[in-house]
Amino acid sequence: MSESQFNDDAYWLEKLTPEQYRICRQKGTERAFTGEYWNEFSDGTYLCRGCAEPLFMSDTKFDAGCGWPSFYQPASKSVIKEVYDSSHGMHRTEVVCRKCGCHLGHVFTDGPAPTGLRYCINSASIQLKKE
């Protein structure tokens, strides 16, 4: 995949379902407790839906009770980018895939040890590669 494809709307419209496009490219969110992975705890690696970059490992996933897949750390700090988000009258930190810019969700400071972080991720933004 070339970097120019990541900036091509036609590429994303062909690659993603309408719901995935709304979330990944238009910074939407899925309703709580409705996404494919909110209650999934199989072993594996969660990849970016847009570019297949490994983003999160299953051993860092936990049940936050919020209805979205939650992780306490990314596979590597270099695979995600954090962006200040003041939309909807809130002050949050958005998480995007550093490689393709796919909107993943948000990170909060109410997670478990060892990081104290909760990466609250949309199922539509990731895909599980089971071990």
Side-chain angles (χ1 to χ4, degrees):
M1 250 185 273
S2 71
E3 193 168 315
S4 64
Q5 283 178 307
F6 297 146
N7 297 320
D8 181 4
D9 221 32
Y11 168 79
W12 292 112
L13 287 167
E14 184 176 312
K15 179 176 178 54
L16 303 172
T17 67
E19 177 72 352
Q20 291 167 347
Y21 180 84
R22 182 183 70 78
I23 292 167
C24 296
R25 304 310 298 170
Q26 297 179 321
K27 301 181 185 291
T29 192
E30 59 206 12
R31 288 190 337 258
F33 304 103
T34 63
E36 180 179 5
Y37 299 120
W38 78 269
N39 199 26
E40 171 68 58
F41 290 95
S42 299
D43 290 340
T45 303
Y46 288 87
L47 311 175
C48 176
R49 180 79 60 185
C51 67
E53 183 76 8
L55 298 174
F56 298 96
M57 306 305 292
S58 61
D59 61 356
T60 65
K61 191 172 189 292
F62 67 99
D63 183 1
C66 64
W68 286 275
S70 298
F71 304 86
Y72 63 78
Q73 71 185 25
S76 164
K77 274 292 205 185
S78 65
V79 298
I80 62 161
K81 181 178 174 184
E82 296 182 2
V83 180
Y84 177 71
D85 176 8
S86 62
S87 64
H88 308 291
M90 295 183 264
H91 301 283
R92 306 178 289 180
T93 302
E94 177 189 9
V95 181
V96 299
C97 174
R98 186 175 298 276
K99 185 174 179 182
C100 72
C102 178
H103 169 75
L104 303 172
H106 293 86
V107 61
F108 303 96
T109 57
D110 60 357
T115 64
L117 299 174
R118 174 175 54 99
Y119 289 85
C120 186
I121 306 300
N122 290 291
S123 290
S125 300
I126 53 177
Q127 53 190 349
L128 174 60
K129 180 181 176 185
K130 292 184 180 180
E131 287 183 0

